[in-house]
Amino acid sequence: MILTKEQQAILDGEQGETLAKVMKTLVMYGEAFGAEKLVPITSEYNHLVTSFGLKVMSPVYDLMQQLLDADVCSGQKFSVDPRPIDKNVPANFLQNLVFNKFMYTKQDFYEAQLERLGLMNDQAFTCTCYMDQVGNKPKKGDVLSWAESSAVVYANSVLGARCNRNSGIIDIMGSIVGYVPYFGLLTDEGRKATWVVRVCTTKKPEAQLLGSAIGMKVMEDVPYVIGLDQWIGTELNEDACAYLKDFGAATASNGAVGLYHIERLTPEAVEQGSTLIAEDAKEYIIDDAELARVQQNYPVIWKNPEAKPKLCFVGCPHLSLSQLKTWTVQLEEALAKNGKKKVVLPTVFTAAPAVLESFAKTEYAERLKATGVITSYICPLMYMNNPLCKKMPVITSSNKLRTYTSARYYTDGEILSIITGGK
Amino acid sequence: MKRFQGRVITPGEVTAPAVVTKQGFNTLASFQMALQFGDKEVKCGDQSNQELYGKSLLGKALCLPQTIGSTTGGLVLYCACSMKKNPACMLFANPIDSLAAAGAVLADVWVDGVSMPVVDSLGQEFLDYVQDGMSIKVLPDGVVEVE
């Protein structure tokens, strides 16, 4: 890798041993992918994936302390993934004991470290930092040092920013030196589509199911999706962005997609069209039968597959303001249709603190509360990491939550029916 | 004995028995329970990986195509190395992925007293040949000897 004089001086230790180690980490990381240079990070804010004070992650907090002690903090403020615990979310005595006494015992300590390292504010805990209410929304062409997979794929695909699928810790190290290695999704060549996906369904495909199918097929490659615009339009409005948020999170967690292009919709596809497709691109056709096949093949890892669900999570990644409003209306209608006043299953809707704050100012907030649904800023994945929660029959419409935990996946429509007591 | 030439990601020399997975290795799911509850054998906790589930990873030559899963993967691997609960080496059939590369580099740069050689691009033939329990020798130039 060829470094500038300034970068080489940092690597040589002229600004201290700790900063030199940070630079060495980034250089070695980049060289593993043939990167020939480092390029400046241009986004206003960073975003970190590690939000949890999990006792077992002590080496991470020790490393953060080394950075703090050496005063090599980032000049960039950052948001961070959601907090792992919230007393509003149902948990029994033993589950709470495990959360508070065994798992997240470092939470307060770690949040104090984050504050010193440059946390935007004490509400900046969400996986959807790009929501307008949160305020960490990169511009087209911005170079980022993010790691949260659902945020990376959204930033690359919907916002047109440039970011690799980095790991936790690498995210903050890039931000500290202000540079990231130039490879993969930062390059024009790395953003070419090596798969063409043709959506040939007879109705609007479920976002999280379509994303899952594509993720499992293309893995870390870049797909160019044709035919989706007929269902979600050609304008990046609130509904389309919410759809793409959920779609992208499923491609990233069920596979390892960091960037997708949607014909006539996402910025690079609008600008460059089919010239984005690599010459030897493979093809994947998705119809109703293919989506049904994908959903039917999800393993059910509950001890008793026939168990009655005890909890439902909606909002992984965190819900948008428009999604909270839409769910409220749909819940009211379904409850009325089924002759019920409240949801028949403890149900948690998760969203960013700033989004929940905005939602609370709307007339929908009281209406949602009246349905019995609980709102929270929690990360459902962190909740399900509790071994005692793993044994619970939890249902979700998140394909990311299904992938990483024992939660069972249903479509949004199926979830609506189950939690409102429908057939 | 068969020799395979790979590319060195983090250097080192080690001899260890193989544990093999032909599917993507989910770093978070594999290490989380063992690290969280102090499992001395560091048994793989990924229920979706039937080749490795319940097998000890500690001190083994972990042979794999690539890692998959959460982007916390790199820091989980870093934690495993810091706590000395890491495999003896990681040997990738494919070019390394960004999460595994991050973990390997973080361990190499930031953890004192731990060496976990990582070699990638060993090829599908390597993964087809190697089996659990075979003796693996990793040389500093990326040569991997299997017997």
Side-chain angles (χ1 to χ4, degrees):
Chain A
M1 187 182 292
I2 298 166
L3 301 179
T4 64
K5 279 185 183 173
E6 179 208 358
Q7 293 162 353
Q8 188 64 50
I10 294 173
L11 185 64
D12 292 342
E14 288 183 17
Q15 294 187 42
E17 186 187 348
T18 305
L19 199 58
K21 285 170 77 172
V22 172
M23 182 60 91
K24 183 179 178 187
T25 304
L26 291 168
V27 169
M28 284 181 70
Y29 174 60
E31 283 179 339
F33 300 97
E36 294 178 350
K37 62 180 177 181
L38 298 173
V39 292
I41 293 168
T42 57
S43 61
E44 183 175 3
Y45 297 111
N46 193 19
H47 180 81
L48 306 187
V49 71
T50 318
S51 60
F52 43 88
L54 201 56
K55 186 180 172 186
V56 69
M57 294 288 186
S58 289
V60 172
Y61 318 129
D62 293 345
L63 196 156
M64 295 294 183
Q65 197 58 46
Q66 280 188 61
L67 301 177
L68 284 167
D69 291 345
D71 199 22
V72 294
C73 300
S74 166
Q76 265 188 320
K77 296 269 184 187
F78 56 81
S79 49
V80 64
D81 268 11
R83 288 186 167 108
I85 38 183
D86 177 1
K87 61 179 178 356
N88 290 329
V89 177
N92 63 33
F93 174 77
L94 281 176
Q95 287 168 334
N96 276 324
L97 191 73
V98 172
F99 279 132
N100 296 314
K101 300 292 180 191
F102 294 96
M103 291 181 70
Y104 299 113
T105 54
K106 289 273 193 178
Q107 191 63 30
D108 291 344
F109 174 79
Y110 182 52
E111 286 192 21
Q113 283 189 322
L114 289 175
E115 195 177 330
R116 287 181 63 197
L117 285 162
L119 184 64
M120 287 168 70
N121 56 64
D122 64 1
Q123 296 291 295
F125 286 85
T126 178
C127 49
T128 56
C129 59
Y130 44 79
M131 294 288 172
D132 289 337
Q133 297 84 356
V134 183
N136 183 0
K137 189 173 190 174
K139 299 186 296 295
K140 185 169 180 295
D142 271 351
V143 174
L144 319 179
S145 181
W146 291 10
E148 161 54 42
S149 63
S150 67
V152 167
V153 74
Y154 188 92
N156 273 320
S157 311
V158 181
L159 304 178
R162 295 196 171 211
C163 185
N164 279 313
R165 269 174 58 91
N166 300 303
S167 170
I169 302 184
I170 293 293
D171 49 15
I172 195 165
M173 290 193 170
S175 184
I176 285 170
V177 297
Y179 297 99
V180 284
Y182 185 69
F183 70 93
L185 297 176
L186 267 56
T187 69
D188 290 343
E189 193 57 32
R191 296 175 79 85
K192 293 266 185 185
T194 48
W195 280 86
V196 172
V197 177
R198 296 185 189 279
V199 177
C200 305
T201 54
T202 59
K203 59 183 180 184
K204 182 180 176 180
E206 188 84 5
Q208 302 242 11
L209 198 50
L210 180 65
S212 164
I214 293 174
M216 288 195 281
K217 176 64 75 174
V218 312
M219 292 308 291
E220 71 274 29
D221 289 347
V222 178
Y224 185 94
V225 183
I226 295 172
L228 189 56
D229 55 310
Q230 67 176 308
W231 301 112
I232 62 173
T234 54
E235 185 192 341
L236 283 173
N237 55 28
E238 280 188 0
D239 287 345
C241 287
Y243 185 98
L244 294 178
K245 163 182 75 73
D246 293 340
F247 164 82
T251 66
S253 56
N254 286 235
V257 174
L259 165 67
Y260 56 80
H261 302 294
I262 309 291
E263 191 178 53
R264 288 193 280 272
L265 183 59
T266 53
E268 282 156 88
V270 168
E271 283 174 8
Q272 300 174 53
S274 58
T275 60
L276 277 170
I277 301 170
E279 269 184 19
D280 53 351
K282 290 168 270 193
E283 187 174 74
Y284 178 34
I285 295 172
I286 295 184
D287 55 15
D288 298 340
E290 176 64 356
L291 289 182
R293 181 194 69 77
V294 168
Q295 188 173 4
Q296 282 159 13
N297 281 338
Y298 293 148
V300 179
I301 56 175
W302 291 357
K303 195 170 181 182
N304 172 13
E306 306 304 320
K308 195 176 167 190
K310 286 191 172 171
L311 184 64
C312 173
F313 275 116
V314 175
C316 171
H318 276 170
L319 293 167
S320 68
L321 184 60
S322 69
Q323 285 180 306
L324 282 166
K325 290 177 182 174
T326 304
W327 268 104
T328 302
V329 174
Q330 289 176 338
L331 275 165
E332 288 174 334
E333 289 172 357
L335 286 169
K337 183 179 153 198
N338 296 330
K340 302 273 195 275
K341 286 198 160 42
K342 287 182 182 290
V343 289
V344 298
L345 174 67
T347 300
V348 181
F349 283 9
T350 53
V355 170
L356 290 175
E357 200 174 288
S358 293
F359 182 65
K361 292 174 187 162
T362 70
E363 49 142 340
Y364 293 88
E366 280 304 314
R367 289 165 56 184
L368 182 63
K369 195 175 176 185
T371 69
V373 165
I374 300 158
T375 56
S376 171
Y377 50 73
I378 200 175
C379 171
L381 280 167
M382 297 294 112
Y383 177 94
M384 293 298 292
N385 273 345
N386 185 327
L388 297 177
C389 298
K390 278 185 178 175
K391 294 176 183 169
M392 282 171 66
V394 173
I395 61 171
T396 183
S397 58
S398 163
N399 228 318
K400 181 170 184 174
L401 195 60
R402 176 198 71 78
T403 302
Y404 293 138
T405 75
S406 56
R408 186 169 182 173
Y409 173 80
Y410 290 95
T411 63
D412 281 340
E414 290 167 335
I415 288 283
L416 182 65
S417 178
I418 294 168
I419 64 180
T420 57
K423 299 288 180 188
Chain B
M1 191 257 288
K2 202 156 181 174
R3 288 163 65 94
F4 298 87
Q5 178 67 59
R7 179 181 69 136
V8 177
I9 301 296
T10 53
E13 188 169 3
V14 72
T15 301
V19 285
V20 182
T21 177
K22 298 191 177 178
Q23 70 182 72
F25 178 79
N26 188 320
T27 309
L28 175 63
S30 297
F31 279 107
Q32 187 183 20
M33 295 304 275
L35 298 184
Q36 196 160 307
F37 295 100
D39 174 12
K40 288 180 182 168
E41 294 178 62
V42 194
K43 291 191 284 293
C44 174
D46 182 4
Q47 296 182 51
S48 300
N49 189 329
Q50 290 305 310
E51 295 166 299
L52 291 184
Y53 181 62
K55 289 180 185 171
S56 172
L57 302 173
L58 182 66
K60 301 294 196 311
L62 178 57
C63 306
L64 67 166
Q66 67 187 85
T67 71
I68 58 170
S70 164
T71 46
T72 57
L75 68 91
V76 170
L77 194 53
Y78 164 74
C79 286
C81 291
S82 295
M83 299 160 82
K84 299 189 171 28
K85 300 210 171 208
N86 53 294
C89 58
M90 292 179 77
L91 305 174
F92 292 82
N94 299 339
I96 198 165
D97 55 278
S98 60
L99 307 182
V105 169
L106 286 166
D108 190 70
V109 176
W110 293 88
V111 181
D112 293 328
V114 170
S115 170
M116 183 182 70
V118 175
V119 177
D120 80 344
S121 302
L122 285 158
Q124 187 58 40
E125 191 191 350
F126 164 74
L127 210 52
D128 291 341
Y129 180 79
V130 69
Q131 292 180 30
D132 273 6
M134 284 178 161
S135 178
I136 304 272
K137 186 172 186 181
V138 181
L139 302 175
D141 60 356
V143 168
V144 173
E145 295 177 351
V146 185
E147 56 185 339

